[in-house]
Amino acid sequence: MTPALLAIACLFAVTLGYVGKCAVSPFGDCRKCRGLGHALKTDRTGKPKPGKVCRRCHGIGKRIRVGRRLYNRATHTYRAGTR
């Protein structure tokens, strides 16, 4: 197997895996708060406590994946164009 063909097969496998992950689990953890929904602060004794609500996910802790967002836009454009 040539290296170019192997690279194409690996990229295809990774892409297919990501598409499957977006189909099964369209929401992933927020990258900023790591799925907590808020920032962690420490008090004077060093114990962690919740801080401000995350501005990216609005305290939910989940965000829609990039691949799922692209899929949603594509289906919306397709449905709007076939009316």
Side-chain angles (χ1 to χ4, degrees):
M1 192 179 254
T2 64
L5 192 59
L6 184 64
I8 290 170
C10 288
L11 283 174
F12 183 71
V14 168
T15 303
L16 197 61
Y18 184 70
V19 166
K21 186 168 186 160
C22 287
V24 173
S25 175
F27 294 97
D29 289 339
C30 178
R31 292 185 304 268
K32 186 168 178 122
C33 66
R34 298 185 191 117
L36 293 176
H38 52 77
L40 282 179
K41 292 175 61 178
T42 56
D43 57 4
R44 292 184 298 174
T45 60
K47 294 180 184 176
K49 65 177 191 172
K52 289 185 175 181
V53 175
C54 180
R55 293 187 336 189
R56 280 190 182 178
C57 65
H58 304 288
I60 296 171
K62 298 287 183 185
R63 299 225 21 204
I64 193 162
R65 294 186 194 277
V66 175
R68 186 60 183 210
R69 183 174 287 139
L70 290 174
Y71 174 76
N72 289 347
R73 295 253 173 137
T75 56
H76 184 279
T77 304
Y78 176 75
R79 288 179 183 157
T82 56
R83 287 187 190 153

